[in-house]
Amino acid sequence: MALTWTDKYKLITRNLAEWLGDEKLKSILKTRDLKLYWGTATTGRPHIGYFVPMSKIADFLRAETEVTILFADLHAYLDNMKAPWELLELRTQYYEAVIKAMLKSIDVPLDKLKFVKGTDYQLSKEYTLDVYRLSSLVTEHDAKKAGAEVVKQVCNPLLSGLLYPGLQALDEHHLKIDAQFGGVDQRKIFTFSEKYLPMLGYEKRIHLMNPMIPGLAGAKMSSSEDDSKIDLLDNPATVKKKLKKAFCEPGNIIDNGILSFSKHVIFPLFRDNEVFNVQRTAEFGGDVSYSKYEDLEVAFAKQEIHPGDLKNAIEVYINRLLDPIRKEFEANTKLKSLANKAYPVQKQKIVEIEITPARLDIRVGKIVEVKRHPDADSLYVEKIDLGESNGPRTIVSGLVNFVPLNEMENRMVVVLANLKPANLRGILSHGMVLCASVEEPTRQVEPLRPPINSIVGDKIVIEGYEDGVADDVLNPKKKVWEKLQADLVVNGDGVASWNGNLLLTSTGNKITCDTLKNVPIK
């Protein structure tokens, strides 16, 4: 059935953050199809965040819009040389290959789509003359302000970065389009264009703006921050690992990259009668489905959907999007070679080791001897067996006021074993017994409880960080323990966790606390 102009208007504008030129948009749609371009500077590797503009481009194409995708290779170099000149052509080829693969993955009609490189026309006599004409009108202040959200900001900006907004404005005229599509972070460039193009005698264009969705870490999704995004060629195991670490606070619908991706990519791409499935155990209500994003958001806000269940659900849909892309690159040696050449592995500078809980050496121990500290009324001196060949360790713990002496004897405990030895009132302590601790209304301290039948010396890992290597000794100057300890808690189920990831023995059993819940571990 033929689409009406109002049908096209709804498709074009749905899920946009904002658009400028509404009356002009309606006027064009009443008489003919819209002509639009979306540009992307060929800098960092495209990631799943690119499915956000791609899903809108799918809307445009289904609304019978003539879409031009501009690979802004010249812009990429001008933006503080984010792409070296010698890599521009390779990166442009990679962008074209991967974006075509993305569009095939979401099954959009391509008959009204074309690809253009910036250097195909931006080096022409006509375009160059327009650059000079524009430069005679634009102030340094306006150029810097226009690029503030897009061009990398430095104390002494290069002239190239100041040219960037003007070139993007001129693209609208030289590509002969009615509208430009981009992120809401480009709004200042769009208003710059609306101000200056008429000064050159050119038409003011329509501007359509997508929202900026948060990345996995909760901030803007960025090509330069590995933890904030999933690469289009990441394998399923890597996808799972990145999602597990993603920020997804219970009930938080504002800075939630998982929900935003669902809203702007997954749901818009659903076909008729397709629903978003969240699988859950019967204990937590069983499987549930949503045909509208708004219903999913409400359920998450009410904490009816657990972050772990939402992550597991979105993982299925992300892999469904990525599978055709991965298969195409896996089967084509030229594409694999292109990806490696366009983004060669950089020699890494010596950098600080990432602070993750894998750096903690946590083990199950057994108290084989305990007595009061001779010079401190609140301290116990314990001999704790950690299964080491040189015998039990001496560890000093401030538990006198919280655990009776007879309950300490032969008790199984959880020990942080790679702290730097500390002198506590004349006795050297070689570790720390980990405890749940709360200060108010009255102070309570309770040692964590390893599962029944635990083995002395068994290493305890944090879910999702099983493959890491613990430091031999934690450097107190780097405050590794202090930074990690801030996210160690006993959750509402009485189970020890770090940032939502459970502490587990080698057999997968949980570390618990007898009575305290929702309290820090210290």
Side-chain angles (χ1 to χ4, degrees):
M1 188 172 74
L3 295 176
T4 66
W5 78 265
T6 53
D7 293 332
K8 296 176 183 179
Y9 176 81
K10 288 176 183 176
L11 271 172
I12 288 168
T13 59
R14 74 167 176 169
N15 285 337
L16 290 177
E18 183 183 3
W19 60 98
L20 306 175
D22 186 66
E23 289 305 314
K24 183 173 183 177
L25 174 60
K26 291 176 180 175
S27 176
I28 290 173
L29 291 175
K30 288 175 183 177
T31 58
R32 61 173 173 82
D33 291 332
L34 188 71
K35 296 178 181 179
L36 170 147
Y37 102 87
W38 172 72
T40 180
T42 50
T43 51
R45 286 174 70 115
H47 47 74
I48 62 164
Y50 277 65
F51 273 111
V52 178
M54 288 304 107
S55 67
K56 273 312 300 174
I57 286 171
D59 281 343
F60 300 147
L61 291 169
R62 290 181 180 125
E64 300 174 1
T65 299
E66 294 180 21
V67 176
T68 297
I69 291 182
L70 169 66
F71 296 118
D73 49 355
L74 197 54
H75 291 65
Y77 180 75
L78 291 175
D79 186 2
N80 282 278
M81 295 177 285
K82 285 182 181 176
W85 192 264
E86 60 274 14
L87 292 180
L88 279 184
E89 178 60 30
L90 290 168
R91 291 194 176 176
T92 302
Q93 291 175 27
Y94 179 77
Y95 264 67
E96 181 166 351
V98 83
I99 285 176
K100 283 180 177 176
M102 290 174 74
L103 291 168
K104 281 191 273 183
S105 167
I106 60 179
D107 194 26
V108 297
L110 304 182
D111 52 307
K112 301 192 81 169
L113 175 68
K114 66 177 180 180
F115 298 91
V116 175
K117 279 196 306 182
T119 47
D120 288 342
Y121 67 92
Q122 289 167 348
L123 302 177
S124 69
K125 176 182 176 181
E126 294 77 16
Y127 190 93
T128 302
L129 286 174
D130 273 345
V131 172
Y132 287 131
R133 290 173 64 208
L134 188 62
S135 68
S136 71
L137 300 171
V138 177
T139 66
E140 180 266 348
H141 171 270
D142 281 4
K144 190 172 182 180
K145 178 182 176 183
E149 301 294 326
V150 177
V151 180
K152 184 178 179 182
Q153 298 299 294
V154 294
C155 293
N156 296 303
L158 297 173
L159 180 60
S160 59
L162 298 177
L163 287 173
Y164 192 109
L167 300 185
Q168 189 167 335
L170 290 174
D171 289 339
E172 296 182 347
H173 172 74
H174 286 269
L175 288 172
K176 298 178 172 59
I177 50 85
D178 306 308
Q180 183 179 175
F181 167 59
V184 75
D185 60 334
Q186 298 190 57
R187 191 183 196 282
K188 290 178 181 177
I189 291 181
F190 292 161
T191 55
F192 172 95
S193 172
E194 293 189 4
K195 175 181 177 179
Y196 282 103
L197 280 191
M199 291 186 186
L200 295 176
Y202 297 149
E203 184 182 347
K204 184 191 294 187
R205 264 64 181 189
I206 299 160
H207 294 103
L208 310 171
M209 287 165 271
N210 244 3
M212 302 304 296
I213 76 166
L216 300 181
K220 176 181 173 181
M221 196 175 292
S222 168
S223 296
S224 61
E225 296 180 22
D226 284 342
D227 282 345
S228 81
K229 50 87 180 182
I230 292 171
D231 189 86
L232 295 169
L233 301 181
D234 278 346
N235 60 40
T238 302
V239 171
K240 180 183 285 292
K241 182 178 180 180
K242 288 183 177 180
L243 286 174
K244 185 168 289 235
K245 295 168 67 176
F247 177 78
C248 189
E249 187 177 48
N252 184 346
I253 62 173
I254 304 300
D255 299 316
N256 192 322
I258 305 294
L259 277 178
S260 294
F261 192 79
S262 303
K263 177 180 181 179
H264 293 285
V265 178
I266 303 302
F267 277 84
L269 294 176
F270 277 163
R271 299 179 183 277
D272 291 342
N273 301 319
E274 196 170 357
V275 294
F276 187 91
N277 294 312
V278 180
Q279 294 186 335
R280 302 183 300 189
T281 62
E283 179 186 359
F284 295 106
D287 297 350
V288 63
S289 299
Y290 300 93
S291 58
K292 294 191 301 183
Y293 167 77
E294 292 75 15
D295 295 337
L296 173 64
E297 184 180 279
V298 168
F300 190 83
K302 292 180 178 179
Q303 299 191 34
E304 295 171 1
I305 299 294
H306 187 274
D309 293 328
L310 180 63
K311 289 180 181 182
N312 289 337
I314 199 75
E315 180 185 343
V316 173
Y317 294 100
I318 287 175
N319 280 319
R320 190 180 297 175
L321 288 172
L322 297 186
D323 272 342
I325 303 170
R326 291 187 291 230
K327 288 176 181 176
E328 183 169 343
F329 273 73
E330 193 61 37
N332 190 323
T333 55
K334 288 184 178 179
L335 288 180
K336 289 174 69 175
S337 174
L338 174 61
N340 293 331
K341 289 178 180 177
Y343 296 95
V345 176
Q346 299 289 324
K347 288 185 178 179
Q348 295 292 322
K349 297 178 182 178
I350 298 175
V351 295
E352 193 71 36
I353 300 172
E354 183 184 7
I355 295 181
T356 75
R359 295 178 64 176
L360 303 178
D361 181 5
I362 305 175
R363 299 186 226 165
V364 173
K366 183 179 181 180
I367 300 174
V368 294
E369 181 184 317
V370 59
K371 60 184 178 182
R372 287 178 179 269
H373 194 296
D375 298 317
D377 292 340
S378 64
L379 301 179
Y380 284 132
V381 179
E382 305 127 1
K383 296 287 186 182
I384 301 181
D385 183 5
L386 294 176
E388 295 171 311
S389 58
N390 54 350
R393 294 190 184 197
T394 297
I395 294 179
V396 179
S397 303
L399 293 170
V400 169
N401 297 325
F402 305 102
V403 184
L405 184 66
N406 65 314
E407 291 184 19
M408 292 290 290
E409 294 171 350
N410 296 313
R411 182 177 182 131
M412 300 293 282
V413 289
V414 176
V415 174
L416 177 61
N418 60 341
L419 282 176
K420 184 177 180 179
N423 191 316
L424 298 178
R425 301 292 293 270
I427 295 179
L428 204 59
S429 179
H430 296 267
M432 177 192 294
V433 175
L434 294 182
C435 302
S437 177
V438 62
E439 300 295 329
E440 296 178 352
T442 57
R443 190 173 185 222
Q444 299 178 68
V445 179
E446 188 175 304
L448 297 182
R449 179 80 67 179
I452 298 172
N453 300 325
S454 290
I455 301 170
V456 166
D458 193 12
K459 182 170 174 57
I460 294 169
V461 298
I462 285 81
E463 192 177 28
Y465 297 88
E466 297 89 341
D467 298 331
V469 177
D471 292 13
D472 290 335
V473 178
L474 295 172
N475 187 339
K477 291 183 180 180
K478 302 296 184 181
K479 297 194 179 297
V480 176
W481 162 244
E482 288 80 359
K483 292 174 182 177
L484 292 169
Q485 183 272 324
D487 291 314
L488 270 171
V489 299
V490 173
N491 64 24
D493 296 322
V495 178
S497 66
W498 181 86
N499 202 19
N501 300 298
L502 301 183
L503 274 65
L504 303 171
T505 64
S506 62
T507 54
N509 292 316
K510 302 171 184 176
I511 305 301
T512 58
C513 185
D514 291 346
T515 63
L516 298 179
K517 295 181 180 180
N518 291 319
V519 299
I521 294 172
K522 298 180 179 180

